[in-house]
Amino acid sequence: MITQAELELLEQYIDGVLDENDVERLRDVLRDNSGARAKLRSLATVEFGMQDLAASRDAGSLDVVSELAVASDIEPRRRQVVQPTRSWATTLRYGFVVAGTFVATILAMIGVQGTWPTPSSSPDSRVEVARVATVSSLDNCRWGNGQAFREGDRLPVGSLVIESGAAEIWFDGGARLILQGKTECRVESAGSAMLLTGKVVFHGASDDTFDLRTPDSILVDLGTEYAVSVTGEGEEIHVFEGEVWRTAREDQQEVDFISAGDARRYRRGDARGSEQVALSESFVRGISHKSDSSAPRGDQLIASESFAYDDAAILTSGKAQGGLGWAGPWQGESRSLSKEPAADASLNPSESLQFGKLSGTGGCMTVSGNIAVHRTLREPLRLDLDAVYYFRVIFHEDAGANEPSGTVFINFRQSEAVDRNPARLVSGLKPSRMLFARLQGTSRARSTGPVNGTGMFVGKIVARMHQPDQVFLTVLKPTDPLDAEPERWTLSGDPTDCPEAFDLLAIHGISRNLRIDELRLGRTWRSIIKDDDLSDIR
Amino acid sequence: MPDEQAENLENADHDLFVRLIMRHDRAVRAYLRSLLPTAADVDEVMQEVSVVAWRKFDQLGDQQDFPRWVCVIARYEVLMYRRKKARDRLVLGEEIEHLMADEGLQELSLRQQQLDALERCLDKLPNERKQLVLKTYAAEQPMKTIAGQLGKTPAALYQILSRVRRDLLACVEQTLAAEGTS
């Protein structure tokens, strides 16, 4: 039973007009009164049903009811009102709209994945070989089944076998799995995987959905870090952060909520359910860039430039041929109406920018005015293939008490473009720290990096042969960790098809006092972060 | 399996899924509405539920379990949605939402019966009142605009709708009690 006042609270909740005090009162009522909860569900059903019927009955205009009288003793409401839902058509058309919504949703999924989203039990059937994840880090990893993936390799849908060591796999959906040998795991899509046997640590973000399945369970996370171990006898789930919902595959009504600090063991075929176990420290929860790599870093670094030159005016002279991975010297570009090479792209040979624990070498490029320089890469960026690229540059601007006004762009384009409007990838940091990326379409996001002083502008390009490509950008502060790539990129560009190869890298800067240094381009995070021992680069 | 056979099987799965989700759409939405503060939230979560349910469709055993199975998915999606909206003042809190979701799963057939009874109860309303309610719920304008068109304050219009909704709820409960199904 509920009182009249409690019923009014429920109605006001449905109408969305409660203030915070009343919400608190409502919680008290609902917490202790099952009848109130049942009444709320019934009220919600009536509310939904009214919207549904209004949509299906083609109600027409309001003119007919304008003469309706209203009682004069009505008390005013306190807060904003809720908008009724939009108009729908007849029942038959409503059915099509429901189906159409579903179809549109599935078509949207096709647009992202490039193929019909088949049920996950048959990921390899009727689907092109899509690359949906990247090997981001390895730690003495020995692959099985004749596999030989390296850091930076893009992974197709299919099986992964690790005999020993560990591998960190970054899924395009945003989740990270660390596989610990001996393990067999099946990559099913950008947002799902199946652990058949072995150990996995999962890192996710709260607004990304990732399905991890095992022979006995379906696991759903909420902003979580957890580990799963699967053997022939059953499995264990250890939750380090967040919460995991474990649904039994046999009986999907059976759901366990496992919170941070808890661990559970499920024995296969045991009807008694699960037992609590101690949280284990034996799982590999991260692979830092200091770990041994199975591949020399030299294979993964594509180009670097530390501006180690003696002549301050060398950048636009055609003689600046230092650094590694380039097919020619730096060249100046005109940024003025006169079409003459810019005179403001200069060097400070004696200053090198430092970023946290990364110490620079050589000098740095100084930007005073509107300058641009470019250089040809020995190895182009191939957006027509499956690949991942990382790039970074350290920058410093003394903006004083004002908002930062400098702009720095790292652009990729074709040295011999045929089209009048050739494709190009533009990425940069605009005034007031607005990140900017353009690859066919344009994306923007405000950076959380430093307003003044030194920052690291970092980008990641995920190139996909059969699906749209994507650009990610962020700005790091000197105090940010560099052990692994950022879990969250400030700007996630819209997926865009761009089947081009870019062999030209250009730096464009506009500022009164901006310095740029330590440019790196590579296939892995590790390759663009480590500064020591460049001598093994080809 | 030959390609054509596999394609036919996939199309059959798709057709079955669409039939099931359309058949149970109203009950699932009613379930969601009891867990979410606004109709717009229901639309948003229902989109995610549809996508996830299709992706997991091969895990469904018996078709008869579909409404409950999809509501379990819906419950997950509500809780994820709730995390995004943690600062929304209308969030009821995890404990209450768990109770509402668990109890709601037991009442799925009641939801469908209530929706069926609602249609009959609506037709029992005096015509003017019925037209007002239908047109207000169907209109694309905010309540304030509708009230203005009727020459009334939003509060007054709200009160009318609230009374009608309460009358309809009472009618639905009486109808189901008379049918012995409440």
Side-chain angles (χ1 to χ4, degrees):
Chain A
M1 289 292 290
I2 67 171
T3 66
Q4 186 65 25
E6 289 168 347
L7 179 60
E8 282 181 12
L9 261 185
L10 300 184
E11 290 170 338
Q12 288 166 14
Y13 172 77
I14 292 288
D15 292 334
V17 298
L18 288 181
D19 61 25
E20 286 178 4
N21 290 332
D22 288 336
V23 170
E24 201 51 49
R25 283 175 50 212
L26 177 63
R27 287 186 190 126
D28 290 337
V29 170
L30 292 175
R31 190 176 297 117
D32 302 325
N33 189 333
S34 61
R37 295 194 296 272
K39 186 67 80 176
L40 179 57
R41 288 191 292 274
S42 295
L43 260 176
T45 300
V46 169
E47 177 71 8
F48 163 74
M50 290 310 306
Q51 290 161 352
D52 187 49
L53 288 168
S56 64
R57 287 191 179 192
D58 198 9
S61 74
L62 282 165
D63 294 342
V64 175
V65 295
S66 59
E67 71 278 10
L68 188 69
V70 174
S72 59
D73 58 343
I74 294 169
E75 291 180 8
R77 291 285 174 136
R78 278 167 293 178
R79 294 269 182 246
Q80 65 185 17
V81 297
V82 174
Q83 294 192 20
T85 54
R86 62 192 182 281
S87 177
W88 292 77
T90 61
T91 303
L92 182 63
R93 280 189 285 157
Y94 170 62
F96 281 119
V97 171
V98 169
T101 302
F102 162 69
V103 169
T105 305
I106 296 299
L107 288 175
M109 284 179 66
I110 293 172
V112 172
Q113 296 182 14
T115 183
W116 177 260
T118 56
S120 53
S121 62
S122 56
D124 294 316
S125 67
R126 306 287 304 146
V127 176
E128 295 170 316
V129 178
R131 309 271 168 172
V132 297
T134 308
V135 178
S136 53
S137 296
L138 297 171
D139 184 4
N140 291 310
C141 181
R142 189 162 62 87
W143 298 93
N145 271 9
Q147 296 169 341
F149 296 113
R150 303 181 309 168
E151 287 185 4
D153 281 351
R154 295 279 293 153
L155 294 176
V157 169
S159 178
L160 288 178
V161 177
I162 295 178
E163 295 292 338
S164 62
E168 181 182 73
I169 311 298
W170 202 292
F171 283 73
D172 288 357
R176 273 188 303 143
L177 293 188
I178 300 175
L179 279 60
Q180 193 175 336
K182 182 175 170 67
T183 286
E184 182 175 355
C185 181
R186 194 167 66 217
V187 173
E188 296 185 332
S189 74
S192 62
M194 172 112 174
L195 176 64
L196 295 162
T197 181
K199 292 183 179 180
V200 147
V201 172
F202 170 90
H203 293 262
S206 62
D207 56 356
D208 291 327
T209 305
F210 190 90
D211 289 346
L212 180 61
R213 293 186 298 139
T214 70
D216 299 318
S217 307
I218 304 163
L219 302 171
V220 178
D221 66 285
L222 271 185
T224 308
E225 181 192 356
Y226 69 89
V228 186
S229 169
V230 175
T231 66
E233 285 75 46
E235 62 193 43
E236 289 187 10
I237 300 166
H238 298 246
V239 181
F240 304 111
E241 280 182 24
E243 186 178 66
V244 170
W245 303 327
R246 184 258 178 192
T247 304
R249 292 184 70 181
E250 286 292 321
D251 175 7
Q252 295 188 18
Q253 314 309 324
E254 182 192 322
V255 178
D256 286 336
F257 297 85
I258 310 172
S259 302
D262 287 343
R264 294 200 160 272
R265 176 182 295 142
Y266 297 84
R267 296 186 195 278
R268 193 160 295 148
D270 189 340
R272 289 172 296 170
S274 65
E275 57 180 301
Q276 195 146 5
V277 296
L279 199 66
S280 172
E281 301 295 325
S282 69
F283 293 99
V284 174
R285 296 173 62 180
I287 300 175
S288 79
H289 80 281
K290 291 186 176 60
S291 303
D292 292 337
S293 172
S294 61
R297 187 176 65 92
D299 285 346
Q300 309 300 350
L301 184 67
I302 296 172
S304 70
E305 173 64 271
S306 295
F307 300 105
Y309 306 101
D310 295 328
D311 181 0
I314 195 172
L315 277 184
T316 53
S317 69
K319 297 177 183 174
Q321 304 207 53
L324 295 158
W326 306 99
W330 286 102
Q331 303 278 2
E333 291 181 11
S334 170
R335 306 302 299 172
S336 67
L337 293 174
S338 70
K339 305 294 181 189
E340 293 298 320
D344 293 328
S346 61
L347 287 180
N348 184 339
S350 60
E351 179 188 6
S352 184
L353 296 184
Q354 199 156 342
F355 184 84
K357 294 181 181 175
L358 292 181
S359 55
T361 58
C364 67
M365 188 168 90
T366 61
V367 177
S368 178
N370 184 345
I371 68 98
V373 291
H374 68 253
R375 202 168 177 186
T376 306
L377 291 163
R378 190 180 302 158
E379 178 185 328
L381 266 62
R382 298 292 303 272
L383 269 64
D384 56 333
L385 301 178
D386 287 298
V388 171
Y389 302 99
Y390 295 84
F391 60 92
R392 59 95 155 168
V393 68
I394 299 173
F395 68 91
H396 181 95
E397 185 184 29
D398 291 320
N402 301 319
E403 281 281 297
S405 59
T407 297
V408 56
F409 286 121
I410 307 293
N411 301 337
F412 298 93
R413 56 183 200 253
Q414 297 158 324
S415 59
E416 293 177 5
V418 175
D419 294 339
R420 286 184 60 188
N421 292 308
R424 58 181 63 191
L425 192 164
V426 177
S427 70
L429 191 63
K430 298 177 85 173
S432 301
R433 296 292 175 255
M434 180 65 75
L435 285 166
F436 174 90
R438 185 163 66 236
L439 177 65
Q440 314 295 41
T442 301
S443 304
R444 292 184 182 82
R446 188 166 296 281
S447 164
T448 55
V451 174
N452 285 323
T454 305
M456 181 186 286
F457 175 65
V458 188
K460 174 180 175 181
I461 304 165
V462 179
R464 303 186 181 103
M465 187 190 299
H466 299 297
Q467 295 153 296
D469 312 297
Q470 204 168 1
V471 178
F472 303 86
L473 301 175
T474 194
V475 173
L476 300 177
K477 301 186 289 294
T479 52
D480 287 331
L482 298 178
D483 283 2
E485 74 174 81
E487 290 213 4
R488 286 219 157 276
W489 294 83
T490 306
L491 184 149
S492 297
D494 293 332
T496 309
D497 267 320
C498 183
E500 306 289 350
F502 297 126
D503 63 343
L504 203 72
L505 184 152
I507 302 175
H508 175 199
I510 306 172
S511 175
R512 284 188 293 274
N513 184 13
L514 179 71
R515 301 194 287 287
I516 299 170
D517 198 6
E518 304 299 335
L519 172 68
R520 298 279 187 278
L521 172 66
R523 292 187 200 79
T524 65
W525 177 259
R526 197 200 300 260
S527 70
I528 66 165
I529 291 302
K530 284 182 70 174
D531 269 336
D532 54 286
D533 190 16
L534 299 177
S535 59
D536 58 336
I537 308 300
R538 56 183 162 75
Chain B
M1 178 185 295
D3 284 352
E4 190 179 336
Q5 196 174 349
E7 185 176 357
N8 288 341
L9 201 63
E10 192 176 298
N11 288 339
D13 273 349
H14 166 230
D15 290 346
L16 176 61
F17 178 81
V18 172
R19 280 202 305 276
L20 287 170
I21 199 114
M22 284 182 63
R23 185 184 308 160
H24 300 286
D25 178 76
R26 294 171 78 220
V28 175
R29 284 177 181 267
Y31 173 72
L32 284 174
R33 186 63 179 87
S34 71
L35 303 176
L36 293 165
T38 71
D41 294 322
V42 170
D43 286 342
E44 196 169 333
V45 173
M46 191 64 192
Q47 283 229 341
E48 291 301 314
V49 171
S50 302
V51 171
V52 173
W54 166 244
R55 198 166 68 221
K56 296 173 182 280
F57 190 52
D58 65 315
Q59 298 167 16
L60 173 66
D62 188 348
Q63 288 178 31
Q64 300 297 323
D65 292 336
F66 184 87
R68 188 183 175 83
W69 174 81
V70 81
C71 281
V72 170
I73 293 171
R75 181 189 174 178
Y76 289 173
E77 294 301 323
V78 166
L79 288 175
M80 297 188 84
Y81 189 77
R82 183 257 298 168
R83 289 283 175 115
K84 287 187 200 178
K85 302 268 183 173
R87 293 183 187 160
D88 190 321
R89 61 185 168 81
L90 293 178
V91 169
L92 292 177
E94 194 170 328
E95 180 192 357
I96 293 166
E97 285 166 2
H98 276 312
L99 287 170
M100 290 287 288
D102 287 343
E103 292 165 359
L105 280 177
Q106 310 303 321
E107 295 176 350
L108 290 181
S109 58
L110 174 62
R111 294 282 87 79
Q112 191 61 55
Q113 289 156 11
Q114 286 179 329
L115 289 169
D116 293 339
L118 176 65
E119 193 160 2
R120 300 196 294 274
C121 289
L122 181 68
D123 288 333
K124 293 180 185 175
L125 283 179
N127 190 54
E128 280 179 357
R129 198 134 287 215
K130 180 168 77 175
Q131 291 304 313
L132 172 70
V133 167
L134 285 177
K135 289 173 198 320
T136 305
Y137 274 90
E140 295 191 22
Q141 301 118 319
M143 194 73 78
K144 185 178 177 182
T145 306
I146 300 169
Q149 289 175 358
L150 296 174
K152 307 301 170 191
T153 65
L157 181 56
Y158 238 112
Q159 286 287 357
I160 297 174
L161 295 175
S162 180
R163 287 177 188 167
V164 171
R165 185 172 57 203
R166 203 181 286 193
D167 290 344
L168 286 171
L169 178 58
C171 173
V172 165
E173 289 172 341
Q174 288 162 12
T175 302
L176 294 186
E179 292 173 0
T181 53
S182 63

